[in-house]
Amino acid sequence: MKAQAITAFDKLILRKRSIIETINDQLKNIFDLEHSRHRSLLNYLSNIVACLVAYSYQEKKPALNLRDADLLPFNQTLIPN
């Protein structure tokens, strides 16, 4: 494969990938988010909301710990001089 240029945001997210994968794993396995047989859109959305609410009440949650300094290159590109 050819080497490709990676944006600064992609580099930041790649460094935090293990934490993101941990959160996704907890939502799927502990809170039963993965359920493919919903009979209506309302049931699907209520299941997702219930999982996120249950996750928010969890005492010990992994965090990304993003600082403003990490996002500085993105802020400069969004605000023209």
Side-chain angles (χ1 to χ4, degrees), residues 33-51:
L33 181 62
E34 190 173 356
H35 185 336
S36 61
R37 296 254 171 153
H38 296 286
R39 297 180 185 257
S40 70
L41 181 62
L42 186 61
N43 285 342
Y44 171 71
L45 292 175
S46 65
N47 186 22
I48 290 176
V49 170
C51 288

Side-chain angles (χ1 to χ4, degrees), residues 13 48 60:
I13 294 299
I48 290 176
K60 195 172 183 182

Side-chain angles (χ1 to χ4, degrees), residues 6-81:
I6 297 177
T7 64
F9 182 74
D10 289 340
K11 286 181 184 179
L12 177 68
I13 294 299
L14 281 174
R15 285 187 286 179
K16 306 295 183 174
R17 182 179 177 162
S18 64
I19 296 172
I20 293 169
E21 292 288 336
T22 301
I23 294 170
N24 287 338
D25 183 57
Q26 285 182 359
L27 287 173
K28 285 182 181 179
N29 295 323
I30 297 172
F31 302 111
D32 295 327
L33 181 62
E34 190 173 356
H35 185 336
S36 61
R37 296 254 171 153
H38 296 286
R39 297 180 185 257
S40 70
L41 181 62
L42 186 61
N43 285 342
Y44 171 71
L45 292 175
S46 65
N47 186 22
I48 290 176
V49 170
C51 288
L52 293 175
V53 168
Y55 178 77
S56 69
Y57 281 110
Q58 188 179 9
E59 289 182 17
K60 195 172 183 182
K61 294 184 283 255
L64 290 177
N65 295 330
L66 294 176
R67 298 180 306 262
D68 288 336
D70 292 335
L71 299 174
L72 186 61
F74 309 115
N75 293 338
Q76 290 176 349
T77 59
L78 295 176
I79 301 171
N81 289 333

